[in-house]
Amino acid sequence: MELDAYLRQYRAGGYPVGRVEHSVCAACGGTEFRLWVDDAAGYAARRCEACEDEFVMLDSADVADEEDGDEAGCPCGGETFEIAVGYALRNDGDVRWVSVGMRCLTDGACGVYTDWKINYSPAGHLFDLA
């Protein structure tokens, strides 16, 4: 399944996903990543496989000092992913909920390892932090 369709079917926080943004490394343009997450803390960080640039995603910088997260892995053993964020939106277009989805580059399986509610507004800056 395509990652965009998977995130829309997943429904971040039970809400319809109004926007999907794919992760692209700002340093080299790469699209293959390793991912660290902590679902309880609302934390996600990725490392580019091509250049090893690390990026703390979304608003995870708020908890990054306390969190390292656990490395995500696919049941097939794959550890590299295409990553995208599904954004559930409020009626005014602001972000209500985010879900971090990934597609395993070994077997193509899609999954969501973390999602969390956005409790502040405005939060449109999160669109640039996938």
Side-chain angles (χ1 to χ4, degrees):
M1 176 181 277
E2 180 188 320
L3 189 51
D4 289 41
Y6 183 87
L7 282 165
R8 291 183 192 285
Q9 181 181 4
Y10 178 80
R11 297 178 52 94
Y15 299 100
V17 169
R19 184 168 172 171
V20 174
E21 293 290 335
H22 286 257
S23 295
V24 177
C25 178
C28 76
T31 58
E32 297 181 14
F33 301 95
R34 288 184 178 258
L35 180 69
W36 286 263
V37 297
D38 184 323
D39 194 42
Y43 174 84
R46 58 179 164 81
R47 185 181 73 218
C48 178
E49 282 292 283
C51 73
E52 297 189 356
D53 185 59
E54 295 182 4
F55 183 75
V56 178
M57 299 173 65
L58 302 161
D59 59 359
S60 296
D62 295 344
V63 297
D65 289 341
E66 300 97 36
E67 297 299 326
D68 291 330
D70 295 318
E71 187 169 5
C74 181
C76 80
E79 295 179 334
T80 56
F81 304 94
E82 168 193 3
I83 300 173
V85 176
Y87 298 88
L89 306 176
R90 293 184 172 92
N91 290 338
D92 65 2
D94 207 0
V95 180
R96 173 191 306 248
W97 204 285
V98 294
S99 54
V100 179
M102 46 244 228
R103 185 181 64 81
C104 177
L105 296 177
T106 301
D107 71 357
C110 292
V112 169
Y113 273 56
T114 189
D115 64 344
W116 61 89
K117 184 177 183 178
I118 303 303
N119 291 319
Y120 58 87
S121 186
H125 66 285
L126 299 177
F127 296 131
D128 296 327
L129 299 174

